[in-house]
Amino acid sequence: MIQQLVMYEEELQQINRICEILHRDSNAKAVLVIDKNGQEIAQAGDTQQLDVTSLSSLTAGNVAATGGIAQLLAEREFAGQFHEGEKTNVHISIVGQRVILVVLFDERSSLGLVRLRVRKAAAELTVVLEVMVKKSTLGIGQPSVFSEITDDDIDNLFND
Amino acid sequence: MSFINYSSREINCKIVYYGPGLCGKTTNLQYIYNKTNPEAKGKMISLATETERTLFFDFLPLSLGEIRGFKTRFHLYTVPGQVFYDASRKLILKGVDGVVYVGDSQMERMEANIESLDNLRQNLQEQGYDLDKLPYVVQYNKRDLPNAIQMSELEEQLNPTKVPSFEAVAPKGIGVFDTLKAVAKLVLTELRKGG
């Protein structure tokens, strides 16, 4: 079975900080970190107008499809994607083979600048992710509350 | 692979609806979407062809409420049922926490049902999963059609491991929420085991 991803406060704060710095330094509109299954992990910048949940799921689908193409072409993966719009551009990259870093930017920035800043942020994110995976594997960080869940707790969720 | 966020106190789980083409996977999600309070759901996304056949997936994010102070969010996905979209189906199974197999009750779809079920098992195996160890329920859809096969035969052919199964008429909502609740419960129970 594939390792479950567990996010603790400390790592999330670090990821948030990396997103904020990337957002600022790349003059981006918004930055998102998404897990490969389409769950949003962190965001920075102007995300209030965005449907982050849908964006996350579609981006993960896109990355998965591109990964499928890579396999067919005997490539390990395509590490990055760039979509150019009239107003908004999207830079997508896979970090640490686990998460997806999405940068939305407009004419105030450029692809070159975004690429440069993403490279630095990706290196930092990789370190945090490694710690996260290690903690998840060892089950340290915080005691699990789930072992205490009762049948009643679960049933109560479904009371109409 | 459920995603537990201790920081924002959220549990995110992925449920995939699997089954042969035109068995009613998208209809299940549409019914759930239409009958859920606006605050408990996000936008439903359908990546479909011009003839409304699922091309890649349908996606519906749902919030089921809190459990021990954790918000539970379920991401529901369907796969494209048509045989030639197998590469896409494999991708959507990645990171799955629970599976709903939707079978078509009509006599003439029996072969397609069996093929799809074999395909599900095979594709899960390729991703490192064992269907017998995953939270898994079966739904027999289109029970209202005159050519629907008897339940006993469907059970024998499509549910040899006797997981929870439900009769359904998806456009009318019959059996839709029962199926969802059953798989969601199994997913949370599994989470408890791992916790």
Side-chain angles (χ1 to χ4, degrees):
Chain A
M1 190 75 63
I2 294 150
Q3 175 65 45
Q4 186 180 65
L5 195 66
V6 180
M7 173 73 72
Y8 297 105
E9 185 72 36
E10 193 183 351
E11 282 73 36
L12 187 65
Q13 277 181 9
Q14 289 169 352
I15 294 173
N16 278 331
R17 197 158 49 239
I18 293 168
C19 285
E20 276 156 23
I21 292 169
L22 175 60
H23 169 247
R24 188 194 65 205
D25 289 356
S26 63
N27 283 339
K29 285 170 83 170
V31 173
L32 301 174
V33 176
I34 302 163
D35 123 81
K36 263 191 163 180
N37 299 320
Q39 322 267 14
E40 176 229 335
I41 294 175
Q43 49 177 282
D46 189 12
T47 54
Q48 280 188 337
Q49 307 298 322
L50 296 174
D51 179 350
V52 174
T53 308
S54 300
L55 251 177
S56 302
S57 155
L58 286 173
T59 306
N62 190 343
V63 166
T66 311
I69 295 171
Q71 274 193 338
L72 289 176
L73 300 176
E75 285 283 335
R76 197 163 62 88
E77 66 182 9
F78 295 122
Q81 289 183 46
F82 173 58
H83 301 295
E84 190 174 1
E86 276 182 24
K87 288 184 188 144
T88 305
N89 310 304
V90 187
H91 184 277
I92 300 171
S93 48
I94 303 170
V95 179
Q97 295 177 304
R98 263 205 111 93
V99 300
I100 303 163
L101 179 58
V102 183
V103 181
L104 305 178
F105 65 98
D106 56 19
E107 75 285 349
R108 288 172 297 171
S109 185
S110 69
L111 180 58
L113 179 65
V114 169
R115 271 200 180 135
L116 183 72
R117 301 303 189 207
V118 160
R119 208 172 299 153
K120 182 169 176 282
E124 292 169 3
L125 263 180
T126 305
V127 176
V128 179
L129 288 172
E130 277 168 8
V131 174
M132 230 173 88
V133 170
K134 208 174 280 176
K135 272 192 182 178
S136 297
T137 314
L138 298 173
I140 53 172
Q142 210 161 327
S144 171
V145 294
F146 300 104
S147 52
E148 293 165 14
I149 291 177
T150 62
D151 287 342
D152 284 346
D153 287 333
I154 296 174
D155 284 336
N156 285 340
L157 265 188
F158 299 100
N159 288 341
D160 298 322
Chain B
M1 186 184 67
S2 54
F3 172 40
I4 303 167
N5 193 331
Y6 279 93
S7 184
S8 57
R9 301 189 79 74
E10 280 179 12
I11 311 165
N12 290 287
C13 304
K14 176 175 180 177
I15 292 173
V16 175
Y17 283 68
Y18 212 94
L22 294 175
C23 69
K25 301 174 289 294
T26 301
T27 312
N28 262 273
L29 257 63
Q30 277 167 343
Y31 187 83
I32 294 165
Y33 179 79
N34 289 334
K35 293 292 173 187
T36 308
N37 294 331
E39 63 271 18
K41 68 186 175 192
K43 210 157 113 188
M44 178 165 166
I45 291 172
S46 287
L47 301 179
T49 66
E50 285 177 359
T51 53
E52 295 194 10
R53 301 296 304 272
T54 304
L55 176 65
F56 195 5
F57 58 77
D58 304 302
F59 168 70
L60 174 60
L62 272 188
S63 297
L64 280 187
E66 286 196 6
I67 195 163
R68 299 264 163 156
F70 276 73
K71 282 177 233 154
T72 55
R73 292 186 201 280
F74 284 82
H75 285 183
L76 311 185
Y77 285 83
T78 67
V79 298
Q82 294 179 84
V83 174
F84 56 90
Y85 288 133
D86 199 38
S88 303
R89 276 195 293 277
K90 287 180 192 176
L91 297 176
I92 293 152
L93 282 176
K94 280 186 184 174
V96 66
D97 293 302
V99 177
V100 176
Y101 172 80
V102 183
D104 190 324
S105 295
Q106 298 176 92
M107 175 91 75
E108 56 269 38
R109 297 299 287 162
M110 207 54 199
E111 210 178 312
N113 282 333
I114 293 168
E115 190 183 354
S116 171
L117 193 55
D118 288 344
N119 178 256
L120 167 63
R121 200 169 271 281
Q122 174 70 34
N123 282 345
L124 281 171
Q125 251 168 22
E126 283 183 27
Q127 311 280 346
Y129 296 101
D130 179 351
L131 182 61
D132 298 330
K133 290 180 183 156
L134 268 181
Y136 169 52
V137 301
V138 173
Q139 180 189 83
Y140 303 111
N141 195 19
K142 310 195 186 185
R143 293 306 300 155
D144 57 335
L145 295 186
N147 50 349
I149 308 176
Q150 285 199 346
M151 277 297 288
S152 55
E153 194 177 336
L154 285 167
E155 277 283 287
E156 192 185 321
Q157 297 277 345
L158 303 177
N159 191 10
T161 52
K162 301 283 175 258
V163 297
S165 62
F166 301 88
E167 294 187 61
V169 183
K172 293 182 184 159
I174 298 168
V176 169
F177 275 99
D178 293 336
T179 309
L180 174 64
K181 284 176 186 177
V183 74
K185 273 188 186 180
L186 289 177
V187 167
L188 291 170
T189 308
E190 189 63 28
L191 201 66
R192 176 173 64 184
K193 276 191 220 159

